Amino acid sequence: MKEYFGKKIFGGIAIGKISFYSKNQNVVVRKKTEDSEGEIARYEAAREKAIEQLHGLYEKALKEVGEMNAEIFEVHAMMLEDDDYNDSVKNIITSQKVNAEYAVGVTGDNFSEMFANMEDDYFKARSADVKDISERVISILCGKTSDSDIGDEPVIVVADDLAPSETVQMDKTKLLAFVTKFGSSNSHTAILARTMGIPALIGVDIDEEWNGKTGIIDGFEGKLIVEPDEAAMNDYVKKQEAAKEQKKLLQSLKGKDTVTKSGKQIKLYANIGNPSDLAAVVQNDAAGIGLFRSEFLYLEASDYPTEDEQLKAYKQVAETMAGKKVIIRTLDIGADKQADYFNLEKEENPAMGYRAIRICLTREEVFKTQLRALYRASAYGNIAIMYPMITSVDEVRRIKEISKQVREELVATGVEIGEVEEGIMIETPAAAIISDLLAKEVDFFSIGTNDLTQYTLAIDRQNSKLDEFYNPHHEAILRMIKMVIDNAHKEGIWAGICGELGADTELTERFVEMGIDELSVSPACVLPIRKIVRDMD
């Protein structure tokens, strides 16, 4: 019996056979050909098929793990439509008179190296994406399938790394857990694991000799046991049963209030990225929706979504929640969330660039179209509006001017609108520090801890090299959250958390002690958080 440790991604106990997952490595051979037009036609056909596959993966991921996690496949499809990439492939085929496989391989290597050498971490991350799409096209040219077959029995998948496409394609009924050598806790694959509720570890020094052996994953302690002895096996069988019982216990909390023993009531809401996530919200008994990411409407479209198209989505969510609060965040596009028709220029530091409310305030007609749809939808349920990436009082006052104008125009034309709370996200240090001033202008605060942590610590949360420095429990973050809550209460408004930290059970009690009014988490985290709150004195 041997024990190995890694970074835990999702808790839980998994016991089963280890299956070492090896990627299909395409061996590309350089072949001379005089039929350049034929090779270009082969490439175009393979490229179209790859785009079709990626759209299929997007739809599959959309149903299984939600819109935010499915976005990567849309990004890959867009990369295959990039003129520079396609021109390079065709130029190599015609100028060197070589086969399409070789041209795609060379182009993939060249572009991957180009991205890897860039200073900006966002573009560095695109290096792996270019390799992934190039391998997909080469596989199609070689007549290979891209299915991620893990066999007929449930297994613990062990791999050097897993691309999001590979994770999504695996049969979830056969996937007990996964362990990888590489990857980041903020990678797309790690997020997929949390969304699907699969125990997972990263940063484990893996060995192909484990293939076929019995393994145990302890997702709570970040531990992998290979060939456990009888005592360890018995111990973990009991722990697994206890975890199942705990899950049953949590189900018994449905329909009960999220309130401490001393009577402190917490609004426990859910985060969603698409109306398709509503089933999980209802199933896990969330009291409302604390963050509805409206940008999915823009990312899925080939042109700006119309007012009526947006109304349909917002109305569906409002009606389904039947009077429960639905907080819809206005368009938060930019940075790593791109839509071609916005024609956003590439930026050296996109996380701090032209995004979110900065786009809305400089493209007012786009903003007004969304506001009109939101106010119209408010007649069908309990809708609140939340504005992201705020840094100043002037921004909030400008938003209020625009929203007032939109409301007055709607009322003047006889459109019915409901009572709408309007709040802002506190996700920049600037907003946190002046939260006493901002609280005078809005109905509520929702603290976006993902970006707040990133900006406060000056650490790119997508950069795996910085994982050891990325500390969301940093005292500076917690003091900032406390300050925001206090400033909100002084002005008589409520404050919540909608970032990943809201679901961190190690901090739930501290947040309640700080006086937090609301926590918005992924649907699967609602009942575990409710239990902690109800057990508090």
Side-chain angles (χ1 to χ4, degrees):
M1 180 177 94
K2 289 189 177 179
E3 295 184 349
Y4 304 86
F5 290 87
K7 187 166 187 176
K8 56 189 179 183
I9 297 300
F10 189 81
I13 305 294
I15 302 173
K17 189 170 78 172
I18 293 172
S19 176
F20 195 90
Y21 178 78
S22 298
K23 297 175 185 283
N24 288 327
Q25 295 297 323
N26 293 304
V27 179
V28 177
V29 178
R30 187 178 192 271
K31 296 179 182 178
K32 296 289 287 183
T33 176
E34 296 298 323
D35 186 13
S36 294
E37 289 187 6
E39 290 302 304
I40 289 175
R42 285 184 66 229
Y43 166 66
E44 286 291 358
R47 186 177 72 88
E48 289 300 323
K49 186 172 181 180
I51 292 172
E52 183 181 333
Q53 287 179 354
L54 288 164
H55 288 321
L57 284 172
Y58 175 83
E59 293 300 328
K60 188 174 191 294
L62 196 62
K63 293 174 184 175
E64 294 181 355
V65 294
E67 179 269 337
M68 289 298 288
N69 299 313
E71 282 177 16
I72 183 63
F73 304 117
E74 289 289 83
V75 172
H76 281 197
M78 285 189 288
M79 291 177 82
L80 276 174
E81 294 171 345
D82 181 74
D83 289 339
D84 292 334
Y85 181 91
N86 289 307
D87 289 345
S88 174
V89 172
K90 294 173 185 177
N91 180 61
I92 292 172
I93 290 173
T94 54
S95 64
Q96 300 183 32
K97 296 193 179 301
V98 292
N99 56 320
E101 291 89 340
Y102 178 78
V104 174
V106 171
T107 297
D109 289 342
N110 290 343
F111 274 65
S112 180
E113 184 177 355
M114 175 183 71
F115 281 121
N117 289 331
M118 290 183 177
E119 292 184 5
D120 187 87
D121 290 320
Y122 171 78
F123 291 110
K124 279 185 178 180
R126 303 286 72 78
S127 175
D129 291 331
V130 172
K131 291 289 285 184
D132 197 15
I133 64 170
S134 299
E135 284 293 322
R136 179 175 293 277
V137 174
I138 292 170
S139 291
I140 294 169
L141 287 167
C142 294
K144 295 180 181 178
T145 61
S146 58
D147 291 335
S148 301
D149 186 10
I150 57 176
D152 297 324
E153 62 178 311
V155 292
I156 296 169
V157 171
V158 174
D160 281 332
D161 200 1
L162 288 169
S165 57
E166 292 167 326
T167 312
V168 166
Q169 289 180 94
M170 289 176 180
D171 184 348
K172 306 307 176 296
T173 63
K174 305 292 190 301
L175 184 58
L176 298 174
F178 69 73
V179 180
T180 64
K181 181 177 182 178
F182 303 110
S184 159
S185 57
N186 291 305
S187 69
H188 290 289
T189 302
I191 293 170
L192 285 172
R194 287 192 286 266
T195 305
M196 294 185 294
I198 298 173
L201 305 179
I202 61 171
V204 178
D205 194 12
I206 64 174
D207 190 334
E208 285 191 48
E209 291 184 3
W210 300 345
N211 193 48
K213 295 179 178 178
T214 300
I216 296 174
I217 299 293
D218 184 337
F220 300 111
E221 294 186 15
K223 180 165 62 176
L224 163 66
I225 302 173
V226 179
E227 294 188 304
D229 58 27
E230 186 177 355
M233 180 62 79
N234 291 336
D235 183 36
Y236 272 96
V237 167
K238 290 178 183 177
K239 286 183 179 180
Q240 191 176 47
E241 287 301 317
K244 289 178 182 177
E245 287 300 316
Q246 176 72 0
K247 190 172 183 180
K248 288 181 183 177
L249 177 63
L250 291 175
Q251 293 299 309
S252 70
L253 294 174
K254 285 187 175 182
K256 296 186 177 179
D257 290 336
T258 305
V259 58
T260 66
K261 291 179 179 178
S262 60
K264 166 69 176 176
Q265 186 88 31
I266 302 294
K267 301 171 187 173
L268 191 51
Y269 294 165
N271 298 333
I272 67 170
N274 192 295
S276 63
D277 298 331
L278 284 170
V281 175
V282 174
Q283 182 183 357
N284 288 279
D285 196 38
I289 293 171
L291 170 60
F292 176 24
R293 304 176 181 94
S294 67
E295 53 269 16
F296 86 93
L297 287 163
Y298 298 81
L299 295 168
E300 288 181 2
S302 57
D303 201 352
Y304 296 100
T306 66
E307 182 180 329
D308 286 340
E309 286 170 341
Q310 295 189 59
L311 171 63
K312 182 180 177 182
Y314 305 147
K315 179 173 175 278
Q316 179 187 351
V317 176
E319 289 178 332
T320 302
M321 293 308 293
K324 293 180 179 178
K325 179 81 73 181
V326 177
I327 302 174
I328 300 176
R329 180 176 70 188
T330 57
L331 174 63
D332 186 6
I333 208 165
D336 60 336
K337 291 178 282 189
Q338 297 284 331
D340 285 349
Y341 57 88
F342 271 79
N343 296 314
L344 301 178
E345 296 180 1
K346 291 184 178 179
E347 298 177 295
E348 289 298 319
N349 196 342
M352 295 187 178
Y354 185 52
R355 58 176 292 200
I357 202 64
R358 297 164 185 174
I359 293 177
C360 292
L361 291 179
T362 52
R363 300 190 184 186
E364 280 192 25
E365 197 46 52
V366 174
F367 191 30
K368 287 180 177 179
T369 298
Q370 180 171 33
L371 289 176
R372 283 193 294 270
L374 286 166
Y375 286 125
R376 287 173 63 191
S378 69
Y380 300 92
N382 185 2
I383 282 181
I385 303 175
M386 178 164 70
Y387 304 102
M389 284 298 291
I390 298 298
T391 60
S392 72
V393 172
D394 287 342
E395 288 170 342
V396 175
R397 288 176 178 166
R398 179 60 187 141
I399 290 167
K400 289 169 73 174
E401 288 174 6
I402 295 170
S403 64
K404 181 182 178 183
Q405 181 184 348
V406 169
R407 287 197 307 275
E408 289 175 347
E409 289 173 355
L410 287 171
V411 171
T413 56
V415 175
E416 182 183 352
I417 61 176
E419 292 292 326
V420 179
E421 274 193 315
E422 300 197 35
I424 59 173
M425 290 189 71
I426 303 292
E427 51 190 337
T428 65
I433 291 168
I434 63 166
S435 55
D436 57 330
L437 304 178
L438 293 170
K440 300 176 188 297
E441 304 288 336
V442 298
D443 297 318
F444 66 90
F445 287 154
S446 188
I447 304 169
T449 55
N450 300 355
D451 274 332
L452 184 62
T453 302
Q454 172 173 250
Y455 296 141
T456 302
L457 301 183
I459 289 177
D460 179 3
R461 57 193 173 98
Q462 301 286 352
N463 189 342
S464 60
K465 293 178 182 177
L466 300 176
D467 275 0
E468 63 178 298
F469 302 103
Y470 186 83
N471 175 21
H473 290 205
H474 195 293
E475 191 61 30
I477 308 298
L478 299 177
R479 290 186 185 188
M480 209 171 280
I481 291 171
K482 172 63 173 166
M483 177 175 66
V484 171
I485 294 169
D486 289 345
N487 284 335
H489 291 168
K490 286 174 186 175
E491 292 298 328
I493 68 172
W494 63 265
I497 295 175
C498 65
E500 288 289 317
L501 217 56
D504 190 329
T505 54
E506 294 179 23
L507 291 173
T508 304
E509 290 193 18
R510 183 160 180 181
F511 288 148
V512 174
E513 289 164 359
M514 285 180 182
I516 200 73
D517 302 295
E518 178 249 20
L519 293 170
S520 189
V521 299
S522 62
C525 296
V526 168
L527 295 176
I529 298 292
R530 178 173 294 168
K531 184 178 188 308
I532 293 172
V533 173
R534 287 178 63 86
D535 287 345
M536 285 184 66
D537 289 328

